[in-house]
Amino acid sequence: ILLDKRIDLDLNEVIASAVELVRTDMLAVAAAAGATKEGVSGDVTLTFRRPEGIDPVAGEVYDYVMERLRAVYLEGGTGVTTEMFDAVLAKRPASPLDFDARLKALVDFLSLPDAASLAAANKRIANILRKAADEVPPRVDPSLLQHTAERKLAAEVEGLREQVEAQIADRQYEAALRKLSTLRPHVDAFFDQVMVMADNAAVRANRLALLAALERLFLETADLSRLPG
């Protein structure tokens, strides 16, 4: 119904409110039975504490809703695969409508001739960053870019960043991914010509920062490293 009626509902807010109402009702029942909030009533101890950080109950409810949504896509003849769904789910969108927009953008992106190469590159980048022992700097240092291919990729990533971020903020995920698809030749050239794990620690860390910056732009929509290939 939310998708059919285009209702933009924040699931996290709704679930959090529902969980809080249930806890309140449980406290009321406990109080009526003679328990206090910290809950001693005879030989029975009842404790209802609000969890710190992410509420695990709310998280489980969100996951349940997402699994129901998964069935809608996978069994509805939409052409969506489990890997596509998981790539978007990795972002844990609060709104099913936002989830739908991201998923449709991903389906569109994967129809592009550059998509397979970029999906494989994202998987490679994720593996490199996960295994890297170096601390990855938050920003790329242009003075440490030594190779033409890495300078070109860095310039292209920075040149697209503001536009892509603006498109993401407006939920123009399809436009953002299509814009990012133009990076394919620069990404290919980088991996063909540049050794990421250079001997020089500063150069190596800077190249990791460049890959992290590239990965972040794609991750704004979905985690392409979860796709096959």
Side-chain angles (χ1 to χ4, degrees):
I1 294 176
L2 294 177
L3 296 179
D4 291 341
K5 300 295 184 181
R6 311 302 294 171
I7 300 173
D8 195 12
L9 182 70
D10 189 321
L11 282 181
N12 291 329
E13 290 184 0
V14 173
I15 292 171
S17 297
V19 170
E20 184 63 23
L21 286 173
V22 170
R23 287 202 176 97
T24 300
D25 287 345
M26 291 173 70
L27 286 172
V29 170
T36 64
K37 187 172 183 179
E38 289 301 318
V40 178
S41 178
D43 295 328
V44 180
T45 300
L46 299 175
T47 303
F48 304 105
R49 300 183 186 277
R50 291 182 179 83
E52 297 181 1
I54 298 175
D55 189 329
V57 175
E60 289 178 10
V61 175
Y62 177 90
D63 290 340
Y64 173 79
V65 173
M66 288 298 106
E67 287 308 307
R68 301 307 302 161
L69 189 61
R70 182 193 298 272
V72 170
Y73 287 107
L74 268 59
E75 299 171 9
T78 60
V80 171
T81 65
T82 294
E83 292 84 2
M84 292 179 195
F85 189 92
D86 287 340
V88 175
L89 183 59
K91 294 297 299 177
R92 298 187 74 79
S95 160
L97 200 61
D98 184 47
F99 193 107
D100 184 67
R102 291 171 184 269
L103 191 53
K104 287 178 177 176
L106 182 58
V107 171
D108 173 78
F109 171 76
L110 292 174
S111 71
L112 302 177
D114 297 318
S117 177
L118 287 170
N122 271 269
K123 187 180 292 289
R124 184 175 181 180
I125 290 169
N127 288 334
I128 290 172
L129 293 175
R130 183 174 62 252
K131 295 176 181 178
D134 304 79
E135 181 177 350
V136 180
R139 288 177 296 277
V140 175
D141 183 347
S143 69
L144 292 173
L145 298 172
Q146 298 182 338
H147 198 286
T148 300
E150 65 179 326
R151 287 195 293 268
K152 183 62 175 176
L153 178 59
E156 292 294 328
V157 168
E158 182 59 27
L160 292 181
R161 183 178 57 79
E162 287 189 6
Q163 182 179 358
V164 169
E165 288 177 349
Q167 289 170 330
I168 295 297
D170 289 337
R171 293 188 180 179
Q172 298 177 26
Y173 303 117
E174 183 176 318
L177 286 178
R178 281 185 170 267
K179 179 62 67 175
L180 289 172
S181 72
T182 64
L183 292 174
R184 188 264 176 92
H186 309 296
V187 174
D188 287 351
F190 177 87
F191 281 119
D192 287 343
Q193 302 171 30
V194 178
M195 180 180 294
V196 177
M197 306 309 287
D199 292 333
N200 183 289
V203 171
R204 181 172 64 245
N206 200 53
R207 288 173 179 171
L208 292 172
L210 174 55
L211 293 181
L214 173 63
E215 181 186 50
R216 280 194 298 271
L217 289 181
F218 281 98
L219 280 174
E220 292 285 356
T221 298
D223 184 356
L224 270 61
S225 72
R226 294 175 180 260
L227 299 174

